[in-house]
Amino acid sequence: MIATTRCSTQTLIILHVVEYMPYITEDAELQKQQQQMEKAVRAEINALLAVVPQTLHEEHVKAWKYLWQTGFSVSYSKAPKALNGDKINATMYYVLSNSRSPLHESLVPTEEKKKLDAFLVNPDRCYNGHHTLHTDIKLWSSCMNEAEIANLASVWFLTLEKQGCHQLLQAGADGLMQAMVLSYGGFKFSNLDLTFCTHPKDLHRNYHFRRLLYGNGTHVNVTVEVREEDNKAEIFVALDRNDKTYWACDAGCIDPPVELGPTLKQFPVKLTDPVTAVLYITADRQHIDELKQTIHVKEIAEAPAHEQHVIALHKHGSHLSGLPTLFWMSIAILIIIFHLFLFKLIYNEYCGKDNYRQRFYS
C-alpha cells in the first residue's frame, strides 16, 4: 500500500496470513475450528514478523514464477465469445490463488514435500474428460467480487477432482496448474502413456502446451499449428528435459514411433472411426509398438481441413473475408446513397414533370 502526503510518499507493507479449514455444517464444530484457526494464524504471523519483508516478497515472486513455467497459450480469436489468453490467464490466477502451495512454503517439512512431489510424478488418470476450452459459462465466468472468485475456483476443483486429478490436487498449486493445463487439451495419463484426446475438429486454432510434467524429470511441450495454405492442423512435440528416452505416435499408431528430444518432431493430425487420441507419448518402446494391435478402428485417415469460414471467424470476427468492417460499412452506405439518388430521379421524372406541365398549361 502506498500513502502520499504533500511533501513525500510512504510505502506501507501490510502482512496478512490466510488459513484454510474444511467445509463444516455444525455450529459447534465451526466454533472449534475457528478457535484452532485463530491460534494457527497468531503463531504464523509471529513467525513471519521475524522475516525481512523484502525476503517475503522475493519468495512470493519466486513461487509464482516457478508456477508459471507450466502454461498454455492460444492464438487470438476475434470470434464472438471466443476464449482468449486474457480470460484464460485471469481464470488460472483466480483458481491458483485459492490453493495452497505447500511445495513453496518454508514451514512445510522436507519429508512432507517429498510426499507431495510423488503426487506430481504419479498423476493417476488425470485428465479423464472432454477438453475444457469450450465456452462453458461455469468454467470461464467473469468474476466481479470475492464470492464469484470462490465459486469459480470451487467449480474448477470439483471438475478436476471428478475427472481423475485427485492426486495432482493433493500436491497443491503445482499439481493444480498441471491439472488445468492437461484439461485444456484433454490430455490423459494412464499407467503406460500420455494421450492427447482432443477431437481433430476442435484443433482449429494454434495451441501451445508448455512444460507438462511426465515422470520424475521430463517436461513435454506440445504445439498445434493450423497451416495457412490448406487450413489443416499439425502437431509438434519436443522435450526440454527428460530422464529417459520417450517415443510418440499419431492416431492409430500405424506409422513407426518417433523418438522425442529437444528438437520439434512433427506429427499429422489423423481422424479415426471411431474417434481415438490424436497423439500417444510413452517411455515404453514395447508398449508403443503394441498399440497398433490394440487400437481397433474401422478407418484411419488424415483429418480434413477446417472450413474457411471457421478460420475467417477467428481471424476477422466474421464468416466473410478478411476485409475490415469499415469497408463493408462503406459499401452499405454507398448502396443506400445510390438508391436514394435513384428514388429522387424517379420521383422527379414521374411526379415533378407532371406538376410542371399542369402549371404551364393552366
Side-chain angles (χ1 to χ4, degrees):
M1 178 184 294
I2 299 178
T4 59
T5 64
R6 272 189 171 184
C7 301
S8 63
T9 300
Q10 296 181 340
T11 301
L12 303 178
I13 300 177
I14 300 176
L15 186 65
H16 66 276
V17 173
V18 178
E19 285 289 333
Y20 299 85
M21 71 175 183
Y23 182 74
I24 297 173
T25 57
E26 298 181 3
D27 293 339
E29 185 65 22
L30 177 62
Q31 186 176 4
K32 180 180 178 181
Q33 285 287 343
Q34 184 177 354
Q35 293 174 354
Q36 293 178 355
M37 288 183 65
E38 291 176 354
K39 183 178 180 181
V41 166
R42 290 193 184 95
E44 188 169 353
I45 199 74
N46 289 332
L48 291 175
L49 287 173
V51 181
V52 179
Q54 182 62 26
T55 301
L56 288 176
H57 176 74
E58 291 175 354
E59 290 179 354
H60 177 80
V61 172
K62 182 180 178 181
W64 274 105
K65 185 177 180 180
Y66 184 86
L67 286 174
W68 287 114
Q69 288 181 354
T70 295
F72 171 76
S73 59
V74 58
S75 58
Y76 184 79
S77 173
K78 296 182 180 180
K81 299 182 180 181
L83 195 60
N84 286 307
D86 55 346
K87 173 71 72 173
I88 295 172
N89 287 336
T91 300
M92 295 176 74
Y93 178 76
Y94 290 149
V95 178
L96 290 170
S97 297
N98 278 270
S99 172
R100 286 185 58 189
S101 184
L103 289 171
H104 303 278
E105 295 177 10
S106 58
L107 300 180
V108 175
T110 303
E111 291 300 319
E112 181 66 22
K113 290 184 178 181
K114 290 181 179 179
K115 294 179 181 179
L116 298 175
D117 274 325
F119 292 129
L120 294 176
V121 176
N122 301 295
D124 200 14
R125 295 188 175 275
C126 183
Y127 172 80
N128 188 22
H130 190 274
H131 74 82
T132 54
L133 286 180
H134 48 79
T135 53
D136 187 334
I137 190 65
K138 291 181 292 185
L139 289 176
W140 304 105
S141 59
S142 298
C143 298
M144 304 302 294
N145 52 56
E146 294 181 3
E148 292 179 353
I149 292 175
N151 181 68
L152 176 65
S154 177
V155 172
W156 270 101
F157 284 130
L158 186 61
T159 300
L160 296 173
E161 182 178 5
K162 297 302 182 182
Q163 298 297 342
C165 301
H166 176 69
Q167 290 199 170
L168 281 179
L169 295 183
Q170 291 188 67
D174 297 78
L176 175 60
M177 172 67 88
Q178 288 291 322
M180 292 185 74
V181 177
L182 288 172
S183 76
Y184 297 161
F187 284 94
K188 178 182 177 182
F189 277 102
S190 69
N191 293 333
L192 296 173
D193 56 31
L194 170 64
T195 56
F196 186 11
C197 298
T198 294
H199 195 290
K201 68 179 178 61
D202 293 328
L203 300 177
H204 44 70
R205 296 171 68 181
N206 295 341
Y207 303 115
H208 179 58
F209 303 89
R210 184 178 68 252
R211 201 173 178 268
L212 299 175
L213 299 184
Y214 193 169
N216 194 32
T218 301
H219 301 158
V220 182
N221 301 306
V222 179
T223 301
V224 177
E225 291 186 359
V226 180
R227 298 196 298 255
E228 293 188 1
E229 58 270 21
D230 58 5
N231 294 339
K232 288 188 176 182
E234 52 190 359
I235 301 173
F236 298 89
V237 184
L239 308 177
D240 61 17
R241 173 183 168 186
N242 59 295
D243 58 347
K244 60 184 73 172
T245 303
Y246 280 81
W247 307 84
C249 65
D250 51 49
C253 284
I254 58 175
D255 295 328
V258 177
E259 183 177 345
L260 300 177
T263 58
L264 290 173
K265 298 298 173 65
Q266 182 177 346
F267 298 87
V269 175
K270 294 180 179 179
L271 178 62
T272 62
D273 182 19
V275 177
T276 58
V278 295
L279 183 72
Y280 299 82
I281 301 175
T282 182
D284 189 333
R285 176 57 191 266
Q286 181 180 352
H287 169 67
I288 204 168
D289 287 335
E290 295 173 346
L291 272 177
K292 61 182 177 182
Q293 305 297 331
T294 62
I295 301 175
H296 305 291
V297 294
K298 294 183 290 184
E299 183 181 1
I300 303 176
E302 189 171 347
H306 299 290
E307 297 182 6
Q308 181 59 35
H309 71 86
V310 175
I311 304 300
L313 188 63
H314 288 306
K315 289 185 177 180
H316 314 300
S318 70
H319 296 293
L320 304 175
S321 61
L323 296 174
T325 305
L326 183 61
F327 172 82
W328 295 109
M329 291 179 62
S330 302
I331 294 295
I333 292 173
L334 288 174
I335 292 174
I336 293 172
I337 293 174
F338 170 76
H339 281 84
L340 290 174
F341 178 73
L342 183 62
F343 174 79
K344 182 179 180 182
L345 288 177
I346 295 173
Y347 177 82
N348 290 337
E349 180 70 21
Y350 290 95
C351 300
K353 286 186 177 181
D354 291 342
N355 293 335
Y356 174 77
R357 288 172 181 172
Q358 290 175 5
R359 291 194 301 270
F360 181 79
Y361 287 108
S362 63

